[in-house]
Each structure stands twice: as C-alpha cells, then as structure tokens.
C-alpha cells in the first residue's frame, strides 16, 4: 500500500466521521418546516379578514374557501397547538441533552487548538455542540411564550374566553420568560376580562410583541374599548390593504406550485406509461443503460470528494473564513448573506481545483464528459424535470415531516431568506442559491461523481449513490429524504439528456422557487 493511498484512507475515515457528527448534531436542531408552516398560517389569518368593497362576500366565498380552508381559525388553532407541543417537547429534549453534556467529564484539555488534527473528537466540537444546544434552548424559550400569546388570541376569537384567559394566566405565572411577554399577556387578558381592564402601556406592548393579524385583533379590541373611532377606522383600512395583499400572495404561492405539480404529475404518468408501453424506445429509457468511459479509478473519486469537498468545506474553508475581516457575529443580514456567499465560493473553488488537478493527467477526456451544449432539448429536460420533481419531493417531504416531528435541522439560508426583506441581501442569497449552487453542485455530483460511478455500478445504481451523497453533503438529517428524491430526478435528467445544462436549470429553478416563496411568506408576515 502506497503512502498516498494510506493517507487517503485515513482522510476518508476522518471525512466520514466529520459528516456523521454533523448529521447527528443537526438532529438536535429545530426543523425549519415547522416555522415555515406558522408563517403560512399567519398569511391565511391575515387573508381571512379581507372584505370586498361592495360588502358582498358571498360571491368570493368559494375562492376564499379554496385558498384559506372552510374554518381558518380552527385550523390555525390546531397548527399553533401542535407547534406549541412540539416546541415544548424539543425544549425538554434540548435541556436534557445539555445537562448530559455538561455532566460528562472532559477527557481532553478545554483550550481549543487553532488547527486540530481530528476536530470531531476534540473538546472544540464538544464546546460547539454545547453552544448549539444553549442557542436552541434560548430560541425555544423565546418561541413558546410567543406561541402562547397568539394561541390565546385564537381561542378568544372563537369565543373560548375562559380557555384564552387560562393560556394567558399560565404565561404570566412563568418565571423563565422575558418580562415583556408577561406584561403583554396581562394586557390581552385585561382586554377580555369582565369588566375589561386597560393598562397605560397596552398599545405599546401590543405593538412590540404582536404582528400581522394578531396585532390587528388586539389593537381593534383596545380601540373599541377606548372608543377611539378614528384610530379604529385607520386600523381597519390598513388591515384591509394587508389582507388584500395576503390573499393575492397566498394565491401566488398556492396556485403556481399547485399548477406546476399538477402538470408534473401528468408528465410523470405519461413518461411512466410510455416506458411501460414502448419499452426501450421511450424517453425515460434513453441512455438509461449507457454508462461513461471512466479513465480513472475509485482512488481518484475518493480524492476529489474527500479532499476537495468534505475536508475543504469542513476544515480548510472555516479556517480561511476565520481570518477574513468579516465581523462575527454578523451585524446585519447583508453581512450574513455575504458571509454565506464567500464561504460557498471558497468551498466551490477549492473542490473544483482539486477536481481539475486530480483528472488533469487524463486529458483529453471523452466527448461525453462535462458536456455543455446549447442545442438540443436540454431546456425541456430541465423544465420538465422541475415539474416532475415538485410532486415527488412534496410527497416525500410530507412523509419526512411525520418522521422527524420538527427536529433534524435545516439549511440556515432558508431562515435568513424568510426573515430578510433587504433587497441587496436577497440578491446575494439568490446569487448563492440559484446561480452558484446549481453550477458547482451539478458539476461535482452529476458532472463528475455520477459518471465516475458507472465504472463500478449500473447507471441506475450510480444515480441512487450520487443522489444519496448529494443529500448527505447538505449535512441536515431532516433534508436527506427530500434531497435524495430531488437528486434522483437530477440524475435521471442528466443521464437521459447527457447535457449538464439540463440538471443545472432544474436545480436553479428549484432553488429560485424556494427563495421566492420564502420572500413572499416573509413579506406578508410583517
């Protein structure tokens, strides 16, 4: 065994350990999907308060029922109760894990090394894990009283005043929350008391602790009790404008993906039926068993992924980023967006450099390697693949959500994109997700990995293996199944089209659609 091969084996084991620990660490983090559902619930509540100018709501009721559901208040209450229960469970779990971690004796010195040989097993990772748990506990402790405030309003709006008062009363009795939440709960309870009680700072507390539909309901109740008709009329006007925008945006984020998924489902049925009837002459059978002529062996594949991708992203780039003059923690969302873009470009540059140096001695490559051709049907393959991927990934995501129950972590870029309304920051996020990511990841996973694996596996096996590694590389347990499904579609599109532009287009459309939906949700929830 050569020294190079021995070193590669060791590095492979280190990379597997790094990825495994990162995936396990993500299990302790809250899943983004549950937060996203609350945003969408808030949009539904906002839109449900819309009234047509002519006062004849009967003509629009079928449309409202289709977009909002027949009983939006009841559905929202169930959603918030489920979110509250999940948050409490996750908080108890995080506290227990944190206590166990703090009680375990340290086996190595606590001083972190600048460049540890095996970061996953040093106390540096232990401290990072403890910091993540502490951050998770802090976030959940803030989220739970926010949910209770809103849950009480939902209960009161359905006439369940005693239940709402109990919810707010329990919130006031807690000693581990921000006093602002306790005061806001007292304000809401006072407005619904008999007789009502109005505190001097009621309006300010409502403005500070509630938003969207919940703020409108609380302020409306306050202004009615204060008999401030002008303020109430202004509030109603503002709310109707917000409700109209919410209804429009809900129609966009609901109807466009639904229509695309419907077309994709029809296309999928057609392609599968054609495959069953026509056999090897069908579109899905095109190039399905034709592999690539791979001049390198498994050692080169490992070298590119272990050195170029995993270690570059897990070790070298974090070290480089740590010496760059980027303030940490980032003072605003623009710096955060820039940080994400710079980190990603460094990982991409390092990985593609290792790829080039690893296969350079095999140049010139066969004609079907890393093929980019503007002619042909690559656009149809990419667009059709996106339509087909949508219903598949949605179904897988629904199943996945039931499996993880709000845990498993998510891509941090999603949360930043949801909460950011900064045009410059969103432009940077878009550059990262819709341009840089499709180019780099498709070059690496479909352009290099998938064809390389056909030296050892059939085409279908290479698609599955590359899709799994593609999903695992995102280092989030809760996203493995949906990304695995997406990776399979990307692999099928590439093997059939034999043009990297096709999966790049699909990948770009997917990320672009996600970002645009998050932007719409975030803008409506304010």
């Amino acid at each position: 065994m050569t020294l190079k091969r021995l070193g590669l084996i060791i590095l492979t084991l280190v990379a597997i350990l790094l990825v495994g620990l990162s995936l396990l660490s993500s299990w302790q983090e809250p899943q983004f999907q549950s937060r996203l559902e609350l945003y969408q619930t808030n949009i539904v509540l906002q839109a449900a308060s819309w009234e047509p100018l002519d006062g004849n709501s009967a003509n629009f009721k079928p449309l409202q029922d289709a977009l909002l559901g027949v009983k939006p208040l009841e559905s929202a209450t169930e959603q918030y109760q489920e979110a509250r229960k999940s948050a409490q469970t996750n908080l108890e779990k995080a506290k227990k894990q944190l206590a166990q971690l703090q009680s375990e004796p340290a086996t190595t010195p606590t001083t972190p090394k600048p460049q540890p040989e095996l970061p996953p097993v040093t106390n540096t990772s232990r401290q990072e894990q403890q910091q993540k748990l502490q951050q998770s506990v802090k976030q959940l402790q803030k989220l739970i009283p926010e949910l209770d405030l809103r849950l009480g309003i939902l209960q009161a709006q359905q006439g369940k005043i005693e239940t709402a008062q109990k919810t707010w009363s329990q919130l006031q009795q807690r000693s581990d929350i921000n006093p602002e939440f306790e005061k806001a709960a007292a304000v809401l309870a006072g407005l619904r008391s008999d007789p009502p009680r109005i505190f001097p700072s009621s309006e300010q507390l409502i403005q500070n602790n509630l938003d969207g539909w919940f703020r409108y309901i609380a302020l409306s109740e306050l202004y009615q009790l204060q008999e401030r008709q002008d303020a109430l009329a202004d509030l109603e006007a503002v709310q109707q404008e917000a409700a109209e925008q919410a209804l429009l945006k809900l129609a966009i984020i609901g109807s466009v993906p639904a229509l695309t998924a419907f077309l994709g489902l029809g296309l999928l049925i057609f392609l599968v039926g054609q495959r069953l009837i026509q056999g090897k002459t069908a579109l899905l059978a095109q190039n399905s068993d034709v592999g690539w002529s791979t001049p390198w062996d498994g050692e080169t594949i490992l070298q590119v992924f272990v050195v170029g991708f995993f270690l570059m992203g897990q070790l070298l780039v974090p070290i480089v980023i740590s010496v760059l003059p980027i303030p940490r923690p980032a003072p605003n969302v623009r710096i955060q967006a820039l940080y994400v873009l710079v980190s990603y470009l460094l990982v991409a540059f390092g990985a593609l450099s290792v790829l080039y140096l690893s296969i350079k001695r095999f140049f010139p490559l066969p004609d079907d390697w890393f093929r980019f051709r503007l002619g042909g049907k690559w656009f149809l393959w990419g667009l059709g693949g996106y339509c087909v991927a949508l219903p598949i990934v949605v179904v897988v995501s629904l199943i996945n959500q039931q499996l993880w129950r709000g845990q498993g972590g998510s891509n941090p870029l999603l949360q930043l994109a949801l909460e950011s309304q900064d045009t410059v920051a969103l432009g940077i996020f878009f550059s990262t997700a819709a341009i840089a990511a499709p180019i780099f990841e498709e070059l690496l996973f479909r352009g290099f990995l998938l064809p390389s694996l056909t030296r050892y596996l059939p085409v279908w096996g290479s698609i599955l293996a590359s899709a799994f590694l593609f999903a695992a590389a995102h280092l989030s347990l809760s996203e493995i199944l949906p990304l695995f499904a997406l990776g399979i579609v990307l692999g099928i599109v590439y093997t059939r089209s034999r043009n990297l532009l096709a999966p790049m287009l699909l990948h770009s459309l997917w990320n672009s659609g996600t970002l645009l939906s998050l932007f719409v949700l975030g803008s409506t929830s304010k």
Side-chain angles (χ1 to χ4, degrees):
M1 181 180 294
T2 64
L3 186 62
K4 176 185 175 182
R5 185 167 296 179
L6 178 61
L8 189 58
I9 292 174
I10 294 174
L11 289 176
T12 301
L13 295 175
V14 172
I16 293 173
L17 191 58
L18 277 167
V19 174
L21 288 177
S22 295
L23 289 171
L24 288 175
S25 177
S26 73
W27 177 72
Q28 300 162 352
E29 300 171 2
Q31 192 177 341
F32 177 74
Q33 183 66 25
S34 56
R35 185 71 178 269
L36 184 61
E37 287 178 351
L38 288 183
Y39 269 81
Q40 190 154 354
T41 297
N42 293 343
I43 287 186
V44 170
L45 290 172
Q46 191 86 289
S49 64
W50 177 76
E51 292 289 342
L53 294 177
D54 59 5
N56 188 5
S57 59
N59 295 334
F60 298 92
K61 193 171 189 314
L63 176 61
Q64 282 186 297
D65 289 347
L67 290 175
L68 312 179
V70 179
K71 298 180 178 180
L73 275 180
E74 289 81 350
S75 298
T77 303
E78 292 178 3
Q79 186 68 53
Y80 267 84
Q81 287 174 334
E82 183 64 30
R84 173 64 167 81
K85 180 180 178 181
S86 176
Q88 185 65 46
T89 301
N90 292 337
L91 177 61
E92 294 171 359
K93 187 186 299 182
K95 283 183 175 180
K96 182 178 179 181
Q97 292 171 344
L98 183 60
Q100 291 176 345
L101 191 64
Q102 292 172 337
S103 65
E104 292 175 359
T107 57
T108 58
T110 58
T111 303
K113 301 178 182 179
Q115 297 184 13
E117 294 181 3
L118 295 175
V121 294
T122 64
N123 238 37
T124 301
S125 289
R126 176 194 180 96
Q127 290 174 351
E128 290 176 354
Q129 186 179 7
Q130 185 171 327
Q131 289 174 357
K132 283 185 177 181
L133 284 170
Q134 289 172 340
Q135 184 179 7
S136 180
V137 168
K138 185 177 180 180
Q139 290 174 344
L140 290 168
Q141 286 177 332
K142 180 177 181 293
L143 174 62
I144 289 174
E146 290 178 351
L147 295 176
D148 284 338
L149 285 176
R150 289 156 175 77
L151 186 57
I153 294 176
L154 287 168
Q155 292 164 340
Q157 284 301 106
Q158 296 174 72
K160 302 175 182 178
I161 304 299
E162 292 185 4
T163 305
Q165 292 286 9
K166 182 179 179 181
T167 299
W168 291 323
S169 175
Q170 291 174 345
L171 182 57
Q172 294 176 67
Q173 294 171 8
R174 293 182 55 180
S175 59
D176 59 341
I177 64 172
N178 188 321
E180 282 285 302
F181 293 129
E182 181 181 346
K183 295 176 182 178
V187 167
L188 294 174
L191 294 177
R192 298 284 182 165
S193 298
D194 186 17
R197 300 190 310 273
I198 300 177
F199 295 89
S201 56
S202 294
E203 184 171 1
Q204 191 61 46
L205 285 166
I206 291 172
Q207 295 279 7
N208 292 343
N209 294 283
L210 296 171
D211 56 16
W213 177 84
F214 296 97
R215 179 188 291 172
Y216 158 69
I217 292 297
L219 287 177
S220 178
E221 186 77 17
L222 175 64
Y223 293 161
Q224 288 181 41
L225 291 173
Q226 293 176 331
E227 298 183 350
R228 296 168 58 186
Q229 299 303 321
D230 291 343
L232 184 60
D234 291 340
L235 178 65
E236 289 286 352
V238 171
Q239 176 60 21
Q240 282 304 302
E241 183 179 353
E244 184 176 339
Q245 293 177 359
L247 195 61
L248 177 61
K249 292 176 180 180
L250 192 62
I252 293 174
I253 64 175
S255 60
V256 174
L259 179 60
T260 305
F262 179 76
L263 293 174
L265 184 60
L267 181 58
L268 179 61
I269 294 173
F270 168 76
L271 290 173
V272 172
Q274 185 192 52
R275 180 69 173 88
L276 294 174
I277 296 172
Q278 297 184 5
K280 293 188 176 181
T281 62
L283 283 174
L284 278 182
Q286 182 178 321
N287 298 319
S288 61
D289 55 356
V290 179
W292 279 257
S293 176
T294 306
W296 48 79
D297 57 13
E299 185 174 314
T300 301
I301 302 174
L302 279 178
Q303 180 175 298
V304 170
F305 266 82
V306 172
V307 178
F309 187 74
F310 290 110
L311 293 185
M312 189 69 65
Q314 293 288 300
L315 278 179
L316 298 181
V317 169
I319 292 173
V320 172
I321 287 290
S322 67
V323 300
L324 291 178
I326 299 178
R328 284 174 290 273
N332 57 61
V333 71
R334 292 186 182 184
I335 300 298
Q336 286 179 305
L338 184 62
Y339 178 87
V340 171
L341 177 60
V342 170
S343 301
Y344 196 88
L345 290 178
L346 286 174
V347 172
F349 176 77
L352 294 179
S353 297
V354 172
L355 170 61
Y356 173 76
L357 294 174
S358 299
I359 66 175
K360 181 181 177 182
R361 60 194 176 98
F362 300 103
F363 288 174
L365 297 177
D367 182 61
D368 56 350
W369 278 90
F370 301 104
R371 181 183 290 172
F372 293 89
R373 290 183 178 177
L374 292 177
K377 299 179 179 179
W378 65 270
F379 185 83
L380 294 177
W381 275 107
L383 181 60
Y386 171 71
C387 294
V388 169
L390 195 57
I392 293 175
V393 177
V394 166
V395 171
V396 173
S397 297
L398 291 174
I399 298 172
N400 186 68
Q401 187 179 346
Q402 296 302 313
L403 292 175
W404 289 105
R405 293 290 181 179
Q407 287 295 101
S410 295
N411 190 332
L413 179 62
L414 299 178
Q415 185 75 17
L416 293 174
L418 177 64
E419 297 180 347
S420 169
Q421 294 304 301
D422 187 294
T423 305
V424 174
L426 287 169
I428 299 174
F429 285 139
F430 185 85
S431 300
T432 304
I435 300 175
I439 293 175
F440 166 56
E441 293 177 16
E442 294 313 306
L443 274 172
L444 198 63
F445 287 97
R446 257 62 63 179
F448 171 74
L449 179 61
L450 193 160
S452 298
L453 291 175
T454 59
R455 174 167 178 160
Y456 304 99
L457 299 170
V459 173
W460 66 265
S462 301
I463 292 173
L464 294 178
S466 62
F468 175 76
L469 290 174
F470 168 73
H474 287 76
L475 303 179
S476 174
L477 275 176
S478 70
E479 294 182 340
I480 282 185
L481 283 180
L483 289 175
F484 178 61
L486 179 62
I488 291 175
V489 178
L490 286 165
I492 292 174
V493 165
Y494 179 52
T495 55
R496 272 52 172 180
S497 66
R498 298 298 165 114
N499 190 337
L500 275 172
L501 291 175
M504 284 181 180
L505 174 62
L506 193 167
H507 201 147
S508 181
L509 288 172
W510 186 269
N511 288 355
S512 300
T514 300
L515 281 179
L516 289 174
S517 296
L518 292 176
F519 173 71
V520 171
L521 285 173
S523 65
T524 310
S525 65
K526 299 301 180 183

